[in-house]
């Protein structure tokens, strides 16, 4: 495929074959992004001047993208030279443009290889990650959480792995740091009212709906990420992290894994016909069957319980199981 437009056409023509489950859909997203990378690289006209890794993060890094997904990606490159800096800066811009043409909206938070913050040398990345941890501001913690979900798409995995090792080593030598992470994630949107009802949006274009991303997905993602961080788990998907945690003795988490699998499938079945990325997060509760309303209510309630459980585990301290 010689152009981004042809990749977009291929994507739109074949996507129906991959939406039966979340795993096949995310394999499809990976395939599309690899095609974009190949095209972007060809348009650069020269070979990369040094080792590098192009990673994706956010829902893509966690292998949890829905049908419509925005961009979240970055580059780590080995050599600290003007030649390498210029090359990867241009490649980052090309990748962001290509992905946008193919159908991945630009990231509102600018977590993209076109942003110098997310496209740096390995040495600069090292310093940046340490600075984020030492600063521990809301923005720094947010950036760390985003980076922690990164996985390699193209290039040298070790460049990404080495940075995550730095994060784990810092966390082990600064136990209080996990408490700071907890502060950033424990405040979640209230989703169940005092009478057990689901709290929906009251005003605006999404009145009568819940934002499934912030009400359901984020509480699970944040809580499980934090526990995986505590245990030094390198797996990036929420399901994969839950499996690894279960092996370490966190047996109470097994039913949350089932909840999250159901949530991923539920999104595919109920939010795949939306026209925009923003709309793809909103679920209109009254349009659901009684059984589906019951399922979503259980997932929302358990999300709160999971947050409370993880908070107890972080405050308890120690590693490797409960």
């Amino acid at each position: 495929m010689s152009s981004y437009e042809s990749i977009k056409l291929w994507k739109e023509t074949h996507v129906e074959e991959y939406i039966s489950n979340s795993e096949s859909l995310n394999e499809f997203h990976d395939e599309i992004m690899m095609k974009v990378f190949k095209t972007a690289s060809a348009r650069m006209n020269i070979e990369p001047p040094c080792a590098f890794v192009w990673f994706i993060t956010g829902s893509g890094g966690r292998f949890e993208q829905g049908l419509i997904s925005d961009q979240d990606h970055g580059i780590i490159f080995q050599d600290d030279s003007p030649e390498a800096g210029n090359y990867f800066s241009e490649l980052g811009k090309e990748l962001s443009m290509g992905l946008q043409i193919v159908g991945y909206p630009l990231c509102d938070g600018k977590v993209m290889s076109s942003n110098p913050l997310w496209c740096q040398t390995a040495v600069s990345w090292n310093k940046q990650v340490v600075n984020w941890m030492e600063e521990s501001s809301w923005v720094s913690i947010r950036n760390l959480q985003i980076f922690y979900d990164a996985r390699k798409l193209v290039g040298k995995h070790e460049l990404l792995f080495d940075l995550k090792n730095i994060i784990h080593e810092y966390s082990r030598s600064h136990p209080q740091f996990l408490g700071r992470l907890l502060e950033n994630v424990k405040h979640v949107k209230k989703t169940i009212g005092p009478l057990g009802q689901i709290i929906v949006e009251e005003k605006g274009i999404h009145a009568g709906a819940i934002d499934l991303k912030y009400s359901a997905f984020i509480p699970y993602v944040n809580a499980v990420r934090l526990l995986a961080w505590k245990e030094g788990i390198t797996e990036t998907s929420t399901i994969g992290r839950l499996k690894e945690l279960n092996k370490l003795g966190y047996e109470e988490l097994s039913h949350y894994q089932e909840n999250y699998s159901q949530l991923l499938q539920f999104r595919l079945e109920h939010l795949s016909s939306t026209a925009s990325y923003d709309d793809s997060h909103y679920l209109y509760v009254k349009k659901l069957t009684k059984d589906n309303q019951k399922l979503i209510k259980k997932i929302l309630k358990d999300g709160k319980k999971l947050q409370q459980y993880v908070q107890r585990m972080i405050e308890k301290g120690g590693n490797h199981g409960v």
Side-chain angles (χ1 to χ4, degrees):
M1 296 184 187
S2 58
S3 71
Y4 300 127
E5 288 78 11
S6 62
I7 299 172
K8 181 182 181 182
L9 181 60
W10 188 88
K11 174 174 175 270
E12 291 170 349
T13 305
H14 290 86
V15 66
E16 291 290 331
E17 302 165 25
Y18 296 89
I19 58 173
S20 59
N21 63 74
S22 182
E23 186 173 351
S24 65
L25 176 60
N26 277 269
E27 287 170 354
F28 180 68
H29 280 304
D30 277 10
E31 187 175 355
I32 296 296
M33 287 185 281
M34 295 286 278
K35 290 179 188 294
V36 169
F37 184 88
K38 190 173 180 181
T39 301
S41 296
R43 287 168 64 103
M44 294 294 291
N45 292 320
I46 56 171
E47 290 296 309
C50 63
F52 72 96
V53 62
W54 183 46
F55 63 81
I56 57 169
T57 186
S59 59
R62 296 190 305 274
F63 209 64
E64 296 166 2
Q65 288 171 290
L67 187 61
I68 304 174
S69 183
D70 68 347
Q71 299 185 34
D72 291 287
H73 52 94
I75 295 173
I76 307 164
F77 54 96
Q78 188 74 67
D79 293 355
D80 187 1
S81 68
E83 180 191 10
N86 290 335
Y87 178 90
F88 289 107
S89 174
E90 289 306 310
L91 177 61
K93 293 171 187 173
E94 187 70 34
L95 286 166
S96 292
M97 180 187 73
L99 287 167
Q100 184 182 26
I101 292 170
V102 168
Y104 297 90
L106 297 174
C107 173
D108 287 341
K110 296 183 171 53
V111 182
M112 298 176 289
S113 305
S114 53
N115 179 355
L117 190 73
W118 294 92
C119 180
Q120 301 189 47
T121 68
V123 171
S124 294
W125 263 108
N126 190 319
K127 291 176 182 174
Q128 177 164 275
V129 166
V130 172
N131 285 341
W132 281 343
M133 290 186 288
E134 290 182 343
E135 185 180 299
S136 290
S137 66
W138 185 89
V139 172
S140 295
I141 296 294
R142 178 181 173 274
N143 285 334
L144 277 169
Q145 290 168 332
I146 292 168
F147 180 76
Y148 198 73
D149 289 345
R151 66 181 171 92
K152 175 201 120 175
L153 260 192
V154 180
K156 189 177 179 183
H157 169 73
E158 288 78 11
L159 290 169
L160 187 57
F161 183 78
D162 289 348
L163 286 173
K164 292 200 178 183
N165 262 348
I166 290 167
I167 291 173
H168 290 148
E169 287 169 10
Y170 185 93
S171 300
R172 280 192 291 269
S173 60
H174 298 77
Q176 73 279 8
F177 181 65
L178 285 170
R180 181 67 190 89
L181 290 175
L182 178 64
E183 285 300 314
N184 247 48
V185 303
K186 72 180 183 181
H187 303 292
V188 295
K189 193 172 183 180
K190 192 173 182 182
T191 55
I192 303 294
L195 302 177
Q197 77 277 24
I198 297 174
I199 299 174
V200 299
E201 301 281 331
E202 292 185 358
K203 299 176 182 177
I205 58 172
H206 298 298
I210 60 168
D211 183 339
L212 208 61
K213 177 179 178 179
Y214 286 100
S215 298
F217 279 96
I218 293 297
Y220 282 82
V221 167
N222 283 348
V224 174
R225 181 200 295 117
L226 186 51
L227 212 49
W229 194 317
K230 174 180 181 287
E231 297 295 350
I233 291 168
T234 55
E235 170 66 52
T236 60
S237 77
T238 303
I239 298 282
R241 286 168 172 169
L242 283 165
K243 287 178 179 177
E244 291 299 313
L245 287 163
N246 194 270
K247 290 176 188 175
L248 292 176
Y250 290 92
E251 285 149 10
E252 289 184 49
L253 297 177
S254 56
H255 81 277
Y256 294 111
Q257 185 180 321
E258 182 183 352
N259 277 4
Y260 202 74
S261 294
Q262 289 176 318
L263 185 57
L264 288 167
Q265 188 62 29
F266 192 92
R267 181 179 62 185
L268 268 183
E269 292 172 0
H270 294 272
L271 294 175
S272 289
S273 59
T274 51
S276 72
Y277 175 65
D278 287 339
D279 288 343
S280 70
H281 298 133
Y282 285 92
L283 182 73
Y284 289 86
V285 176
K286 286 188 177 178
K287 292 182 180 180
L288 300 175
T289 64
K290 292 294 182 185
D291 283 347
N292 280 332
Q293 286 185 29
K294 189 176 178 182
L295 173 62
I296 284 297
K297 189 181 290 189
K298 177 183 182 297
I299 288 171
L300 295 176
K301 283 182 175 178
D302 282 355
K304 180 69 175 175
K305 290 177 186 174
L306 177 59
Q307 289 268 331
Q308 292 167 343
Y309 172 79
V310 170
Q311 183 171 347
R312 291 197 303 273
M313 292 303 104
I314 297 300
E315 290 170 350
K316 179 180 176 181
N319 284 80
H320 303 299
V322 296

